[in-house]
Amino acid sequence: MMEVGVGLLGIYGMGGVGKTTLLSQINNKFRTVSNDFDIAIWVVVSKNPTVKRIQEDIGKRLDLYNEGWEQKTENEIASTIKRSLENKKYMLLLDDMWTKVDLANIGIPVPKRNGSKIAFTSRSNEVCGKMGVDKEIEVTCLMWDDAWDLFTRNMKETLESHPKIPEVAKSIARKCNGLPLALNVIGETMARKKSIEEWHDAVGVFSGIEADILSILKFSYDDLKCEKTKSCFLFSALFPEDYEIGKDDLIEYWVGQGIILGSKGINYKGYTIIGTLTRAYLLKESETKEKVKMHDVVREMALWISSGCGDQKQKNVLVVEANAQLRDIPKIEDQKAVRRMSLIYNQIEEACESLHCPKLETLLLRDNRLRKISREFLSHVPILMVLDLSLNPNLIELPSFSPLYSLRFLNLSCTGITSLPDGLYALRNLLYLNLEHTYMLKRIYEIHDLPNLEVLKLYASGIDITDKLVRQIQAMKHLYLLTITLRNSSGLEIFLGDTRFSSYTEGLTLDEQSYYQSLKVPLATISSSRFLEIQDSHIPKIEIEGSSSNESEIVGPRVRRDISFINLRKVRLDNCTGLKDLTWLVFAPHLATLYVVCLPDIEHIISRSEESRLQKTCELAGVIPFRELEFLTLRNLGQLKSIYRDPLLFGKLKEINIKSCPKLTKLPLDSRSAWKQNVVINAEEEWLQGLQWEDVATKERFFPS
């Protein structure tokens, strides 16, 4: 790749052979090892790519993406990207290309001119030829010794449990034909089998399996002991190829589908299933561990199973046309057979013709261009349980939902609706209602008429959260999860004063708040919150009012449960005046993401004097903040002088982003900080050059990345 004259490199090979793994290793090396590239950009291309989507991913990495991006033409965006890259030495990594991509149309300058590099992966060497690569590399299946090592890497104890198992294991490993994906998946499945009888049984199964990869991988699916786990796995294939979905979001779909039950707080059953599927290599965790996705070959296998493993009688049970560049609802041969339909991430503008699908349980239309849904479209789907219309910003009006009496899950987030549809409040089975980011929706009425509602998401909606609405939410007996944005003083006093909200408020946003003295936040009220946002507000000080309970429980190094935000994982403060410090964050022992932007008065993240006061008054002596922090973003903080007084361990830190913090001259790092992992520091070059380091060893440890 680094050879002179190689500007464009093509990496090709069959699905599951390890192309993406190889490319991700290259990406990680460029992020963590000193080099003379100005920027490395990773883009997942996948099937049916659009120029604008690839441009969007590149624009976000170059910090060019803004609110006006969607209104620009492809040519305008290409010019913007080209101007940004033509004076940079860049590394562009394009994963999973199925067809030729015109780099000039995207705005990518010729790489050879200044030593820039482009590498891509594809299943076909024909794509390499059409792209005009300078060099192509085939990733082939493993030779036997390497294949055996990969198959048995987590199998030492199993192989030693019976003298005949190794020989039986070799016969199964050979069936994988050296394909890394199959070796991983089947190897992990077999590692759990400790008796020779189980291995002989597996050999019998494999002897009847055809040589194709889907049949081989299906063995891992068949080996799942729980039918609910199998159902959850098959549902997960409804999302587009290479699509990352939040674990909590996926679990809520499973609950809506009726596969598992909802639960207050963390859904341990859902997370157990996700753990089972990731250990079996049927799902893959994202870098942040908060999202999962399917390998494209595993997804093909799941869709194949859901459609009857090739049985023509069941081919219409599942309609999955995600990211297929559709402009219309597809024609279906046998509508009466359809149970699940996924049309995610297309360009569909109208849904008018009636769906005559009496067995349809799931309809996913998120991330399209919908602007009209006719009254007839949803009039003949009597057992529909899951309906997702989210991410359709031009969708302003909805038809009556009266026919949807079986509906359990409704996602209308990121739509342009101005009112809720007729018949909504009559949906007695509705468990999940997501109205987040519905900026044009100003009011909702009689929400307590939904007697079985368990999840209500109102974050960043335009809804006026009045005292009356807060009281209606209080009266909902089955609610276990709430996200909410409180603007001005409307509803705030009642909300903060009622400790019942502590059991189910997952996320709280305070917007346009104004205080002359301090904002007093009762720990007991929002102790269950997983994210907290404060924006566009004037708050001189944030004071945490502790619990009056005499009982306490240790939840971290000298941090008591009754005086901590035990569940708080994300904090975002944006455009807030008055605040001098954020020392109250010591009450959040499990904080993972901290985003602080445009706080003109802030001087310290953790103030030494304020921390000392809290140690005396709240029994916080010895508390070390940010033990679980992973992502830290500080931008436009003109008065910020320090993050913390001493170097911190940062046991999980992954990334620090600093911009326009001229008075911040030192980071709380030493050579022992984040010693288990690499930390990427993104900042202006001039600021980095002037940074003061704890010692030479610290600079050598962190400056290269």
Side-chain angles (χ1 to χ4, degrees):
M1 191 171 189
M2 298 310 299
E3 289 177 10
V4 176
V6 177
L8 182 59
L9 173 68
I11 302 169
Y12 72 95
M14 67 184 296
V17 81
K19 303 180 297 297
T20 298
T21 300
L22 181 60
L23 201 66
S24 65
Q25 291 293 324
I26 294 170
N27 185 43
N28 291 338
K29 187 167 184 176
F30 275 96
R31 290 180 64 188
T32 57
V33 177
S34 183
N35 59 77
D36 61 350
F37 285 86
D38 297 310
I39 191 168
I41 304 169
W42 173 283
V43 178
V44 177
V45 180
S46 297
K47 285 183 181 178
N48 306 307
T50 63
V51 169
K52 205 156 189 179
R53 183 175 68 78
I54 297 173
Q55 288 176 329
E56 180 180 323
D57 289 344
I58 294 172
K60 288 178 179 177
R61 184 69 181 91
L62 293 172
D63 206 17
L64 300 173
Y65 190 83
N66 53 39
E67 292 181 359
W69 186 275
E70 292 296 330
Q71 281 67 51
K72 294 180 180 179
T73 66
E74 290 178 3
N75 289 337
E76 288 172 334
I77 295 174
S79 298
T80 303
I81 292 173
K82 187 174 183 180
R83 283 195 301 271
S84 178
L85 285 178
E86 60 188 0
N87 294 319
K88 291 183 174 72
K89 186 175 181 181
Y90 64 87
M91 167 68 65
L92 176 61
L93 304 173
L94 302 168
D95 188 36
D96 198 21
M97 279 175 49
W98 289 69
T99 58
K100 178 184 176 181
V101 172
D102 193 322
L103 299 175
N105 285 350
I106 296 168
I108 306 300
V110 177
K112 287 185 184 178
R113 190 166 52 197
N114 62 353
S116 294
K117 304 283 182 178
I118 300 174
F120 66 86
T121 64
S122 178
R123 291 194 188 184
S124 169
N125 66 335
E126 291 183 10
V127 174
C128 295
K130 291 177 180 178
M131 289 294 295
V133 298
D134 300 307
K135 180 167 284 191
E136 61 183 48
I137 295 175
E138 181 181 9
V139 183
T140 59
C141 290
L142 301 178
M143 300 295 285
W144 170 247
D145 288 344
D146 290 329
W148 176 245
D149 287 344
L150 181 58
F151 185 77
T152 59
R153 65 176 177 174
N154 295 321
M155 208 181 283
K156 182 179 179 181
E157 184 180 338
T158 301
L159 293 175
E160 294 173 351
S161 63
H162 193 283
K164 292 186 178 180
I165 285 181
E167 193 58 39
V168 179
K170 288 178 182 177
S171 67
I172 293 177
R174 287 191 177 94
K175 194 78 175 180
C176 297
N177 296 317
L179 187 68
L181 177 64
L183 292 161
N184 267 328
V185 172
I186 303 304
E188 188 61 36
T189 299
M190 296 306 300
R192 300 190 295 270
K193 301 182 184 300
K194 300 295 174 66
S195 71
I196 186 62
E197 290 80 11
E198 289 177 294
W199 280 83
H200 280 308
D201 180 63
V203 169
V205 173
F206 268 92
S207 64
I209 288 178
E210 298 177 14
D212 67 281
I213 181 62
L214 300 187
S215 298
I216 294 170
L217 291 177
K218 185 176 180 292
F219 176 82
S220 182
Y221 166 81
D222 292 334
D223 195 67
L224 294 172
K225 305 302 181 186
C226 175
E227 290 301 317
K228 289 184 177 180
T229 302
K230 289 182 177 180
S231 297
C232 289
F233 167 69
L234 296 179
F235 189 96
S236 305
L238 297 178
F239 300 94
E241 186 179 295
D242 297 312
Y243 187 91
E244 289 188 348
I245 181 169
K247 292 180 180 179
D248 291 324
D249 295 331
L250 184 58
I251 290 169
E252 292 300 344
Y253 278 111
W254 293 343
V255 173
Q257 187 67 60
I259 303 173
I260 62 174
L261 296 176
S263 68
K264 186 177 292 186
I266 297 173
N267 191 313
Y268 293 108
K269 179 63 176 178
Y271 272 87
T272 297
I273 290 174
I274 288 175
T276 299
L277 295 175
T278 53
R279 286 190 297 275
Y281 288 91
L282 297 177
L283 287 179
K284 182 180 180 181
E285 284 186 322
S286 66
E287 186 178 346
T288 64
K289 307 296 183 183
E290 294 181 354
K291 297 181 178 183
V292 290
K293 70 174 184 178
M294 276 187 176
H295 189 285
D296 51 2
V297 179
V298 173
R299 179 174 177 269
E300 289 172 22
M301 182 260 290
L303 296 177
W304 175 66
I305 293 171
S306 295
S307 299
C309 300
D311 185 349
Q312 290 298 306
K313 294 180 181 179
Q314 297 188 50
K315 70 175 184 177
N316 284 320
V317 169
L318 191 69
V319 177
V320 178
E321 295 283 352
N323 191 20
Q325 302 302 302
L326 298 181
R327 295 185 179 274
D328 300 294
I329 302 293
K331 302 293 183 183
I332 304 166
E333 290 181 21
D334 184 7
Q335 290 195 14
K336 293 182 179 180
V338 180
R339 292 185 180 273
R340 290 177 180 167
M341 185 182 301
S342 174
L343 304 176
I344 297 173
Y345 200 41
N346 283 291
Q347 299 173 37
I348 299 169
E349 295 187 7
E350 294 187 352
C352 295
E353 190 174 331
S354 177
L355 289 175
H356 288 272
C357 302
K359 296 181 180 179
L360 186 65
E361 299 175 352
T362 302
L363 177 58
L364 307 181
L365 273 165
R366 64 180 292 158
D367 209 352
N368 273 273
R369 297 180 180 177
L370 280 173
R371 54 183 177 81
K372 182 181 179 182
I373 297 178
S374 72
R375 181 180 302 176
E376 294 77 19
F377 181 67
L378 296 171
S379 59
H380 296 95
V381 284
I383 66 168
L384 186 68
M385 291 190 287
V386 174
L387 177 60
D388 191 343
L389 299 172
S390 62
L391 292 165
N392 284 288
N394 297 320
L395 185 59
I396 297 173
E397 189 176 354
L398 293 169
S400 173
F401 275 19
S402 296
L404 304 180
Y405 44 81
S406 299
L407 200 64
R408 293 162 53 96
F409 177 105
L410 177 60
N411 190 347
L412 299 174
S413 64
C414 301
T415 60
I417 59 171
T418 56
S419 62
L420 292 180
D422 291 341
L424 177 74
Y425 297 114
L427 301 179
R428 316 298 286 180
N429 294 309
L430 194 65
L431 305 178
Y432 176 102
L433 178 60
N434 190 338
L435 300 173
E436 293 188 337
H437 299 282
T438 50
Y439 304 111
M440 304 304 293
L441 182 63
K442 302 303 180 184
R443 288 180 175 81
I444 54 176
Y445 303 97
E446 313 307 326
I447 193 71
H448 59 292
D449 283 349
L450 296 170
N452 295 308
L453 200 65
E454 297 177 347
V455 176
L456 177 60
K457 296 194 170 189
L458 305 176
Y459 164 70
S461 72
I463 298 168
D464 182 15
I465 309 294
T466 62
D467 291 351
K468 180 181 178 181
L469 181 56
V470 172
R471 290 192 180 95
Q472 288 183 2
I473 295 172
Q474 284 175 328
M476 300 177 77
K477 296 180 179 179
H478 300 288
L479 200 67
Y480 68 75
L481 191 152
L482 172 70
T483 66
I484 193 166
T485 295
L486 299 169
R487 290 184 181 84
N488 301 313
S489 58
S490 181
L492 180 60
E493 185 175 344
I494 294 177
F495 183 89
L496 292 180
D498 190 342
T499 57
R500 285 178 294 180
F501 284 112
S502 67
S503 63
Y504 54 75
T505 302
E506 181 187 61
L508 173 63
T509 300
L510 304 181
D511 195 2
E512 299 176 13
Q513 304 292 329
S514 184
Y515 288 83
Y516 292 107
Q517 295 180 344
S518 62
L519 170 63
K520 295 182 179 181
V521 181
L523 262 171
T525 302
I526 58 174
S527 58
S528 67
S529 294
R530 298 176 71 179
F531 72 83
L532 174 65
E533 293 187 359
I534 305 175
Q535 57 192 22
D536 300 330
S537 299
H538 176 76
I539 304 172
K541 190 177 181 64
I542 295 175
E543 293 185 16
I544 306 301
E545 295 185 330
S547 168
S548 60
S549 171
N550 292 322
E551 298 181 1
S552 65
E553 178 183 345
I554 302 298
V555 297
R558 300 183 68 87
V559 181
R560 296 203 335 250
R561 178 179 292 276
D562 63 338
I563 54 170
S564 70
F565 295 110
I566 187 63
N567 294 308
L568 195 59
R569 298 286 291 166
K570 296 179 181 179
V571 170
R572 178 188 178 105
L573 292 103
D574 193 346
N575 193 29
C576 295
T577 58
L579 286 170
K580 299 286 187 182
D581 66 86
L582 303 175
T583 308
W584 57 273
L585 289 173
V586 298
F587 290 101
H590 302 307
L591 187 67
T593 300
L594 177 59
Y595 185 94
V596 186
V597 174
C598 296
L599 271 63
D601 302 313
I602 195 164
E603 297 178 359
H604 308 280
I605 300 299
I606 306 293
S607 164
R608 181 192 293 263
S609 60
E610 184 65 12
E611 183 187 29
S612 298
R613 186 186 69 79
L614 290 175
Q615 288 176 349
K616 294 176 182 177
T617 59
C618 298
E619 301 179 39
L620 288 174
V623 170
I624 300 174
F626 304 138
R627 282 178 174 266
E628 297 192 17
L629 193 69
E630 298 178 18
F631 299 94
L632 174 63
T633 297
L634 305 172
R635 293 182 180 175
N636 300 325
L637 310 176
Q639 300 301 316
L640 183 66
K641 299 173 184 175
S642 73
I643 297 171
Y644 192 67
R645 53 185 168 81
D646 298 315
L648 293 168
L649 291 176
F650 285 125
K652 296 185 178 181
L653 189 63
K654 297 177 181 177
E655 190 168 301
I656 298 175
N657 299 287
I658 310 283
K659 187 175 182 180
S660 299
C661 300
K663 293 186 178 181
L664 181 65
T665 58
K666 191 175 183 179
L667 298 175
L669 301 170
D670 63 16
S671 57
R672 298 171 299 170
S673 301
W675 64 276
K676 290 184 179 180
Q677 71 274 358
N678 288 310
V679 177
V680 176
I681 302 175
N682 297 312
E684 297 141 314
E685 186 172 351
E686 183 179 352
W687 182 85
L688 281 170
Q689 293 298 336
L691 197 60
Q692 298 175 18
W693 299 94
E694 184 73 14
D695 49 38
V696 174
T698 305
K699 184 174 182 179
E700 290 177 349
R701 167 82 170 79
F702 290 100
F703 192 75
S705 60

